[in-house]
Amino acid sequence: MGKIAESERIIGHYRGAENGPLVVAIGGIHGNEPAGVLALERLFEMLADEPRLNPGFSFKGEFLALRGNLEALALGKRFIDVDLNRIWRPLEGRPDQSSTSEDHELHELLAAIETAVEEAPLSELILLDIHTTTAQGGIFAITGDDAPSLSLAAEMSVPVIKGMLSGLQGTTLHYFRGNHFATNLPVRAISFEAGNHEDPLSVDLALAATINLLRALGCVKDEDVNSFHDQLLRERAANLPRLTELTYVHKIDHHGGDGFQMKPGYKNFQPVLKGELLATDKSGSITAPTDGYLLMPLYQKQGDEGFFIVRNYKFPLAY
Ligand SMILES: [Zn+2]
């Protein structure tokens, strides 16, 4: 029991006394988003300290935390050659092996996860992929549309976005939901956006959300490993829509010298109206094709999506 491995790639691998889920958490899949890495490093310090503060402490299952894009993290860039969160495909579906810096990163991440899956007496496999955004405002979780992932994300006490997988390809969520690991056990996958890249509170929010996930899974008890940031997490989530679904993605074509420029001042979950001028590119004005809430307006050079629009999700009526 306790911390069993550590390396440049592995932030920590905590093996509890009782069998339970294997929780894989990744920070820094994008190298300019270090908040997730810092939060996971702090969580491992807390786990190491917990038995001293709380002699009755025990952990159920295993917790493996990984640094995502090492090269890009060292340079503080989103990626070196290609976006590491767009290339998660099984080996046979990847074009030219190890041709880019990110192919190498993906290979190492998958090796670490596959080893843990093979070794762990797991009851379930869970992914938590922690990100931050260039825009201000708004924390949220993105999941597949499977009910078990959605309900787990809701238990983190943060807004949840449905339908994002249809708007993207090759993300960590696609890979985990796609049954590519050597296990027949259930797999749930959640990606958490912890706030703005530079906001120091994004680290606290990522830490609180990760602990909420471990609590929801029964890995730790409610009274254990207290980050003291739950209140902050609830405050940040308080006025945001609880459950929304993707309605539109604006894709950027970098090869065509797109010239995408988001209008300044937009925030996550900012309400927009159909026809509102949101951005410009070489073809001219880009307006909102529909009413909704804006998500992840892009205020950096690297990135394939200019913005997303989501709307309140209404549960389908039974009859
Ligand atoms: Zn990211």
Side-chain angles (χ1 to χ4, degrees), residues 190-221:
I190 295 172
S191 161
F192 178 60
E193 297 283 350
N196 177 258
H197 293 337
E198 268 97 47
D199 185 350
L201 290 183
S202 299
V203 180
D204 299 338
L205 292 164
L207 178 61
T210 306
I211 292 171
N212 279 351
L213 179 88
L214 295 177
R215 286 176 180 159
L217 291 165
C219 298
V220 297
K221 293 184 206 74

Side-chain angles (χ1 to χ4, degrees), residues 30 33 78 131-132:
H30 293 132
E33 303 176 12
R78 183 176 170 93
H131 292 255
T132 50

Side-chain angles (χ1 to χ4, degrees), residues 96-108:
D96 185 9
Q97 297 319 310
S98 67
S99 56
T100 67
S101 176
E102 277 73 21
D103 284 322
H104 173 70
E105 304 277 353
L106 178 59
H107 181 79
E108 281 195 13

Side-chain angles (χ1 to χ4, degrees), residues 141-276:
I142 295 170
T143 74
D145 288 349
D146 57 299
S149 293
L150 282 167
S151 65
L152 181 59
E155 285 191 80
M156 292 165 73
S157 309
V158 299
V160 181
I161 319 286
K162 252 173 80 57
M164 289 294 282
L165 298 203
S166 63
L168 299 170
Q169 283 188 334
T171 69
T172 51
L173 294 190
H174 287 94
Y175 195 89
F176 271 75
R177 291 290 308 141
N179 278 340
H180 299 305
F181 294 105
T183 173
N184 293 319
L185 292 164
V187 179
R188 292 194 273 181
I190 295 172
S191 161
F192 178 60
E193 297 283 350
N196 177 258
H197 293 337
E198 268 97 47
D199 185 350
L201 290 183
S202 299
V203 180
D204 299 338
L205 292 164
L207 178 61
T210 306
I211 292 171
N212 279 351
L213 179 88
L214 295 177
R215 286 176 180 159
L217 291 165
C219 298
V220 297
K221 293 184 206 74
D222 285 354
E223 60 273 24
D224 293 349
V225 282
N226 192 341
S227 75
F228 303 101
H229 300 308
D230 269 357
Q231 183 62 28
L232 179 71
L233 190 71
R234 275 195 293 272
E235 280 167 21
R236 287 292 176 103
N239 298 315
L240 303 175
R242 298 303 305 190
L243 182 61
T244 52
E245 64 179 339
L246 179 69
T247 55
Y248 180 76
V249 189
H250 180 82
K251 301 265 188 194
I252 298 175
D253 177 15
H254 289 292
H255 300 292
D258 185 285
F260 178 85
Q261 193 101 44
M262 191 76 206
K263 290 276 162 197
Y266 279 105
K267 293 180 177 173
N268 287 317
F269 291 108
Q270 185 159 333
V272 294
L273 295 171
K274 184 176 177 176
E276 183 172 339

